[in-house]
Amino acid sequence: GNSVTQMEGPVTLSEEAFLTINCTYTATGYPSLFWYVQYPGEGLQLLLKATKADDKGSNKGFEATYRKETTSFHLEKGSVQVSDSAVYFCALSDSGGGADGLTFGKGTHLIIQP
Amino acid sequence: NAGVTQTPKFQVLKTGQSMTLQCAQDMNHEYMSWYRQDPGMGLRLIHYSVGAGITDQGEVPNGYNVSRSTTEDFPLRLLSAAPSQTSVYFCASSFGPSVDGYTFGSGTRLTVV
């Protein structure tokens, strides 16, 4: 079956530090990959996505590259801000159309200190 | 505003009570799903639907029931609430999950005492 593994944290960084949140996956097909962000008390928001190998998703300074050879989709940002403090979820949708929903990692709690 | 609307936002139930969590979307999405979020567990799929009249079970369906009579609505029913169903519930919808991912509602926080 499908699964997603990500570092759980909490990850605590200082403002302007470089961020990497690791995500690896196992899938039976050729999945699409996503990063979602959840701010306190809110639902999940799509941050970025990649639908095929070597695609790079980017949004709001965050980037992630779909690496099929290492089955990874690590999230990076060059300079984090206090406002980036949130929980980040890596997820996949399999090649069967994703009709049966997303498979999520357990989430990484990111804390940015001023 | 277009999006996924969940009601209620908060609910407290007694063990054995039943209730329905409402979910509506106005984006004409065919795909809809229900997830529960528990500490340290991430989000787990309860039930999903690929269109009106079509539903199927996800990873954790026991104790829950769904129906999809219209494209817009996808209610989740708790048949006989148990403390283990204390959780935050999210509804999500999509036009094409493999390409677009899902749009999530703001959640319902349910406590069963």
Side-chain angles (χ1 to χ4, degrees):
Chain A
N2 299 333
S3 67
V4 175
T5 303
Q6 62 179 109
M7 49 198 301
E8 293 185 27
V11 174
T12 303
L13 296 173
S14 297
E15 202 166 21
E16 299 183 1
F18 184 87
L19 168 71
T20 300
I21 300 177
N22 291 335
C23 171
T24 58
Y25 67 90
T26 59
T28 54
Y30 299 92
S32 296
L33 302 173
F34 305 89
W35 276 101
Y36 282 84
V37 58
Q38 184 179 32
Y39 298 102
E42 298 184 9
L44 279 72
Q45 302 174 24
L46 179 64
L47 180 60
L48 53 84
K49 63 183 180 183
T51 58
K52 62 183 186 297
D54 299 325
D55 269 2
K56 177 185 284 188
S58 61
N59 186 27
K60 299 182 181 179
F62 291 90
E63 293 183 340
T65 301
Y66 189 165
R67 301 290 188 196
K68 186 179 177 183
E69 63 275 14
T70 55
T71 62
S72 64
F73 193 53
H74 305 321
L75 183 68
E76 297 182 335
K77 187 175 185 182
S79 177
V80 293
Q81 305 299 314
V82 172
S83 57
D84 294 326
S85 298
V87 180
Y88 292 80
F89 292 93
C90 185
L92 70 81
S93 173
D94 71 22
S95 60
D100 56 347
L102 297 166
T103 300
F104 284 90
K106 294 185 178 181
T108 301
H109 186 193
L110 176 65
I111 301 169
I112 307 301
Q113 297 178 333
Chain B
N1 290 337
V4 179
T5 302
Q6 291 185 239
T7 56
K9 292 191 181 301
F10 302 93
Q11 183 71 49
V12 178
L13 287 180
K14 294 183 178 179
T15 296
Q17 287 184 318
S18 63
M19 79 159 293
T20 299
L21 307 185
Q22 301 293 343
C23 175
Q25 53 91 10
D26 58 2
M27 298 173 283
N28 203 32
H29 287 170
E30 291 293 331
Y31 299 91
M32 297 187 74
S33 304
W34 276 102
Y35 296 85
R36 59 177 290 172
Q37 182 179 26
D38 301 293
M41 299 293 291
L43 280 82
R44 294 180 291 170
L45 182 66
I46 304 171
H47 284 284
Y48 64 96
S49 170
V50 300
I54 306 170
T55 64
D56 207 343
Q57 297 181 351
E59 180 185 355
V60 289
N62 292 341
Y64 307 95
N65 206 352
V66 292
S67 60
R68 184 97 180 268
S69 56
T70 67
T71 299
E72 293 78 20
D73 300 299
F74 191 42
L76 178 71
R77 297 182 185 84
L78 279 69
L79 308 174
S80 177
S84 60
Q85 293 178 304
T86 293
S87 187
V88 181
Y89 292 85
F90 289 100
C91 179
S93 72
S94 179
F95 180 73
S98 288
V99 176
D100 298 327
Y102 276 85
T103 299
F104 283 79
S106 58
T108 294
R109 183 174 295 274
L110 175 68
T111 302
V112 182
V113 298

